[in-house]
Amino acid sequence: MSADPHLSLKGLTKVYDGRVKAVDRVELDIQNGEFVTLVGPSGCGKSTTLRMLAGFIEPTSGSIEMDGRDITFLPPNKRDIGMVFQSIALFPHMTVAENISYGMKVADEKFSQSEIDDRVEEMLELVEMPETADRYPEQLSGGQQQRIGLARSLALRPEILLLDEPLSALDEKLREQMQTELTKIQQELGVTTVFVTHNQEEAMTMSDRIVIMNDGHFEQIGTPNQVYNDPKSTFVADFMGKSNLFAGTVTETGPDESVVTTDAGEFIVDDTSFRTRASVQILIRPEDLMMSRPSDSQADNTLTGTVTIVHLLGSVTRYYIQSEQAGQLIVEDQSGGQLATEGDSVQVFFDPSECCVIPDPEPPVETDVSEPAMGVYQSE
Amino acid sequence: MYPNQRWGCTRVSSKTTRIGERFLDITPNSAKDNLGYVIIGIPVALLVVFFLIPTLYLFATTFFPREGSGYYQIGFTLEHYARLFDSPIYGRYLWTTLELAAVTTVISVVLGYPIAYWLARVESPALKRGLLLMIVATMWITVIIRAYAIQVVLAGDGILNSLLLDFRLISEPITSSTGYIPTIVGMVYGFLPFAILTIYTSIANINPKLEEASRNLGASRLQTIRWVVLPLSKNGIAGATALVFILAIGSYVVPMLLGNPSEWTLPVIITEQVNEQMNVPFGAVLSAVLTALTIFFFLIAVKVLGLGSDQLIGDTPEGETDGQ
């Protein structure tokens, strides 16, 4: 990633009514052809960020650069940025062909009718909807309308494509199908894409990089693998998937392993980057937590509990386990069989290399350091 | 999702049939039926007694011979109709009525459209409420007071001319308290709110994301209005045109108070015939002409707008809100 960024967000900030910071000094460089997803709960500022990129909202401060050129205050029609809307927003009084060629019609540059026809045909083939040129949007299904929305946004061959939750109006099955097609088309064209969604699965499956937003700032930027397996905060850990979290304090550090003391007991982790007495959270993803019948031999990183709920999800079986030491735990098993039923006593354990240690965002007030940390970080 | 002009009719009406069938299934209940008849019966009775019968009587009066005393008696004569067609002056009045209405309509719709657009797109709900209130508030003042207020403003030595003279923008008064311009000003003032509110409803139904999509695709603000907003609010424009024109044909107070005799419309002449000339049957003939004219333009509006089918509601609401 040595190339100059295609799109740069520099200290981009939007303040409403002089007080509410919708977006707070965010920094991001996007490479040419990259698929970047902004993901976060509603109200986190992801849509505001996207709308600033499109030019519908003026930032309070900071700048947006495209290929090094400042476009922060350029009107939306001068940006060369295509956008697909959540509400689809096809022009209802125009045919599919008129919708797709709208940008060519209003452009300063004059296109001949044959150029327009060729482009419409090309775009319809791209989204695999030939023969629909003369239909009106309301004669199409939701998924088809969204494809035409995509075709329309790409017809002018924009530098950058913005996708504002384009799939959220579609039903589950269609959404998955559209995810793959969207990714395919994006890779085919190599257009730099910024995608906004509140759906972490969508973010995981489609993106080169994911930006997790919370409360107006970027919590973490990384590849799907990084943000899932190595979250930098409990917010990211929680948002990107189901998690088992144990709050505790680093009590011993060694060359290969550290010991973290939590309410649930001592755990051995392979992360040695924290100093002693650091407040941390241990994250273990449900699929990294293993389960067996109870045995007397107490191995490292082992907890005991009772299975309360079993969810068969097809390829995965999810167990909710009530543990005396650690509260509710989630274990996901992909072996296919059912390891335990509700009411069974089980033993759960994890490998030190499978867990991730996250710095605790709010370290508790320093008390007497000789006091063991237990009880202080009662998880809720 | 929603029916659009082209395909809506069949789809909506089929839905209506379905609802109708269901309605038949669940209401053989006679008590409910009777209540329905009562609820519909009251306004129907009122309309029959106070509108339909007087209108028919008015029509009958056009054939009644006039008495020497100035009143009329039951009978049959076509002399009043003969007078209407014999004298060219009534054709003049008819033309004046239509011309004033047409000019008023064009100005009201052209002025009203940008205001309606702005109103529909104001973001602050408080500001929107305030503006709507201001527009409606102009209708709270009786038209007579408004007419006199316009006289005060436009009079030769009135506020407008004094100001323009003081600033040396004009060398002599350009308006007077009565005449063509004051009449048009008065009528536009009276009917502009109707135009604004009719167009406003239709623009408010257009998904603002369509305008964003247009801008995103490279269209300027004006291009967006030309190619997206105007076509999608054409029912609103047509509705406002029909409404203002039909209302303006019936204008009486404004042309009488703000017009010179050359701006007198049919309603003014009708009043004059009945009150001054004591010629009730001829007043009735002119009234019948005015009524026929109104019905004629109403039918045109129905035809153009496709009212009476499923389009009465105005423009098709497009696109769902996306929960932002």
Side-chain angles (χ1 to χ4, degrees):
Chain A
M1 295 259 177
S2 57
D4 287 334
H6 195 200
L7 189 68
S8 277
L9 283 61
K10 296 187 168 169
L12 202 60
T13 301
K14 179 66 192 179
V15 181
Y16 284 111
D17 301 330
R19 292 178 290 113
V20 188
K21 282 187 175 168
V23 177
D24 191 7
R25 284 164 295 172
V26 298
E27 302 273 342
L28 178 65
D29 283 344
I30 300 169
Q31 301 301 322
N32 203 350
E34 204 179 4
F35 193 118
V36 173
T37 299
L38 301 181
V39 66
S42 54
C44 71
K46 57 190 192 299
S47 279
T48 307
T49 308
L50 196 76
R51 292 171 61 74
M52 286 194 279
L53 293 180
F56 297 132
I57 298 179
E58 273 194 7
T60 311
S61 63
S63 65
I64 303 163
E65 287 179 11
M66 195 198 286
D67 293 324
R69 192 167 56 99
D70 190 325
I71 60 162
T72 317
F73 296 105
L74 225 52
N77 51 326
K78 304 281 182 204
R79 292 203 175 199
D80 203 7
I81 291 180
M83 183 158 175
V84 179
F85 294 81
Q86 181 181 22
S87 61
I88 305 178
L90 291 179
F91 305 122
H93 57 302
M94 296 182 198
T95 61
V96 164
E98 285 166 346
N99 264 284
I100 293 174
S101 60
Y102 182 81
M104 300 173 86
K105 182 174 81 177
V106 297
D108 297 333
E109 184 189 348
K110 287 283 160 264
F111 293 91
S112 71
Q113 192 56 45
S114 68
E115 275 178 295
I116 291 176
D117 292 344
D118 289 351
R119 189 75 62 87
V120 168
E121 199 179 322
E122 180 194 333
M123 286 299 135
L124 287 175
E125 264 163 37
L126 181 74
V127 296
E128 290 172 12
M129 285 187 54
E131 314 294 319
T132 55
D134 296 326
R135 303 230 197 130
Y136 282 88
E138 64 130 32
Q139 295 172 280
L140 306 174
S141 70
Q144 289 177 318
Q145 289 185 17
Q146 201 52 281
R147 281 165 200 244
I148 300 303
L150 180 65
R152 182 179 69 176
S153 71
L154 290 169
L156 281 175
R157 304 197 167 116
E159 288 279 332
I160 287 159
L161 179 64
L162 305 179
L163 305 169
D164 185 11
E165 307 215 23
L167 308 178
S168 62
L170 308 178
D171 62 59
E172 186 72 34
K173 244 199 167 89
L174 198 56
R175 185 158 60 218
E176 272 170 33
Q177 190 191 340
M178 284 293 287
Q179 282 172 16
T180 26
E181 286 192 31
L182 203 55
T183 321
K184 202 188 88 198
I185 290 171
Q186 193 268 338
Q187 283 165 355
E188 217 172 284
L189 301 176
V191 59
T192 308
T193 303
V194 182
F195 179 63
V196 157
T197 181
H198 60 264
N199 182 327
Q200 57 89 14
E201 258 175 61
E202 234 166 64
M204 293 285 288
T205 52
M206 297 170 76
S207 330
D208 294 325
R209 277 195 299 161
I210 296 176
V211 179
I212 293 105
M213 272 192 95
N214 180 27
D215 213 10
H217 65 271
F218 290 174
E219 284 273 340
Q220 189 173 352
I221 304 172
T223 62
N225 190 27
Q226 281 168 349
V227 296
Y228 184 76
N229 289 316
D230 193 13
K232 295 296 178 214
S233 68
T234 49
F235 178 85
V236 175
D238 251 352
F239 194 82
M240 294 315 293
K242 298 211 176 301
S243 47
N244 297 292
L245 285 168
F246 307 101
T249 310
V250 178
T251 46
E252 261 178 67
T253 50
D256 303 318
E257 290 175 339
S258 303
V259 175
V260 178
T261 306
T262 72
D263 295 355
E266 288 190 350
F267 293 115
I268 296 167
V269 298
D270 71 345
D271 189 330
T272 55
S273 60
F274 293 91
R275 55 179 181 78
T276 325
R277 294 206 299 268
S279 293
V280 294
Q281 298 246 14
I282 301 174
L283 162 74
I284 307 122
R285 291 293 181 194
E287 63 273 23
D288 295 329
L289 204 53
M290 287 165 289
M291 188 170 75
S292 68
R293 305 227 161 265
S295 68
D296 295 334
S297 62
Q298 281 285 316
D300 286 336
N301 297 351
T302 301
L303 296 158
T304 54
T306 312
V307 176
T308 53
I309 303 168
V310 181
H311 282 164
L312 298 165
L313 305 171
S315 56
V316 173
T317 310
R318 185 181 295 152
Y319 303 89
Y320 290 87
I321 293 152
Q322 192 63 37
S323 152
E324 299 94 68
Q325 311 102 314
Q328 182 171 274
L329 301 171
I330 305 169
V331 176
E332 280 179 5
D333 175 63
Q334 300 187 0
S335 63
Q338 190 171 340
L339 303 178
T341 55
E342 282 149 24
D344 284 359
S345 289
V346 291
Q347 186 171 304
V348 287
F349 53 97
F350 62 92
D351 192 281
S353 64
E354 296 291 2
C355 69
C356 168
V357 184
I358 304 166
D360 207 316
E362 287 160 37
V365 185
E366 290 273 324
T367 48
D368 188 18
V369 283
S370 61
E371 194 87 2
M374 287 177 81
V376 180
Y377 315 102
Q378 201 80 46
S379 58
E380 279 132 40
Chain B
M1 302 280 134
Y2 290 97
N4 125 330
Q5 291 85 333
R6 251 161 289 261
W7 309 99
C9 304
T10 48
R11 189 186 285 185
V12 170
S13 50
S14 72
K15 193 197 279 170
T16 322
T17 328
R18 251 181 283 125
I19 292 167
E21 282 163 6
R22 207 183 306 156
F23 195 66
L24 283 180
D25 285 346
I26 57 162
T27 46
N29 186 327
S30 65
K32 260 185 200 165
D33 274 359
N34 289 341
L35 184 64
Y37 285 129
V38 171
I39 290 170
I40 296 167
I42 292 170
V44 167
L46 280 171
L47 282 174
V48 167
V49 173
F50 295 105
F51 179 72
L52 188 62
I53 293 175
T55 305
L56 293 175
Y57 187 72
L58 174 96
F59 188 64
T61 312
T62 62
F63 300 106
F64 292 165
R66 193 178 170 214
E67 271 188 341
S69 65
Y71 215 57
Y72 59 90
Q73 59 192 18
I74 310 276
F76 184 82
T77 173
L78 288 174
E79 66 173 293
H80 309 302
Y81 283 98
R83 182 178 166 198
L84 177 71
F85 293 110
D86 280 349
S87 170
I89 188 156
Y90 299 106
R92 277 279 318 149
Y93 286 129
L94 179 64
W95 177 251
T96 304
T97 309
L98 294 178
E99 187 198 318
L100 285 174
V103 172
T104 302
T105 304
V106 170
I107 295 175
S108 297
V109 170
V110 169
L111 285 182
Y113 196 90
I115 300 173
Y117 177 77
W118 180 53
L119 199 60
R121 293 293 180 249
V122 160
E123 271 178 35
S124 146
L127 181 58
K128 183 176 287 196
R129 268 197 301 274
L131 290 167
L132 277 169
L133 192 70
M134 273 169 65
I135 288 162
V136 176
T138 62
M139 296 195 276
W140 293 348
I141 304 157
T142 164
V143 66
I144 297 171
I145 294 176
R146 279 190 268 165
Y148 283 123
I150 288 168
Q151 280 193 2
V152 170
V153 173
L154 297 182
D157 53 356
I159 301 162
L160 181 72
N161 285 314
S162 312
L163 271 176
L164 292 175
L165 284 168
D166 287 351
F167 285 103
R168 302 195 186 288
L169 292 168
I170 52 172
S171 55
E172 55 189 65
I174 49 164
T175 59
S176 57
S177 57
T178 57
Y180 194 81
I181 291 173
T183 307
I184 293 292
V185 169
M187 286 172 73
V188 168
Y189 191 98
F191 299 127
L192 190 58
F194 294 94
I196 294 173
L197 295 178
T198 310
I199 298 169
Y200 162 77
T201 317
S202 119
I203 296 178
N205 271 337
I206 302 172
N207 180 358
K209 296 278 174 207
L210 293 177
E211 289 166 63
E212 288 188 356
S214 165
R215 300 275 284 143
N216 179 256
L217 291 163
S220 65
R221 280 175 199 280
L222 273 177
Q223 281 175 315
T224 299
I225 287 175
R226 167 68 189 86
W227 298 110
V228 177
V229 185
L230 266 178
L232 288 173
S233 59
K234 65 179 195 311
N235 281 3
I237 296 169
T241 304
L243 181 67
V244 172
F245 189 77
I246 288 168
L247 289 173
I249 290 177
S251 277
Y252 162 65
V253 175
V254 168
M256 195 183 68
L257 292 180
L258 292 174
N260 295 327
S262 60
E263 278 83 48
W264 282 2
T265 54
L266 278 185
V268 179
I269 303 303
I270 292 166
T271 316
E272 199 228 348
Q273 284 297 320
V274 174
N275 289 347
E276 319 262 320
Q277 310 289 325
M278 296 299 198
N279 194 342
V280 176
F282 190 63
V285 167
L286 294 176
S287 298
V289 170
L290 188 64
T291 308
L293 213 59
T294 309
I295 292 172
F296 174 72
F297 284 109
F298 179 73
L299 289 177
I300 289 182
V302 167
K303 189 84 182 160
V304 170
L305 287 172
L307 296 178
S309 62
D310 305 299
Q311 301 300 318
L312 192 67
I313 312 98
D315 286 284
T316 13
E318 195 286 330
E320 305 89 308
T321 49
D322 50 8
Q324 289 206 355

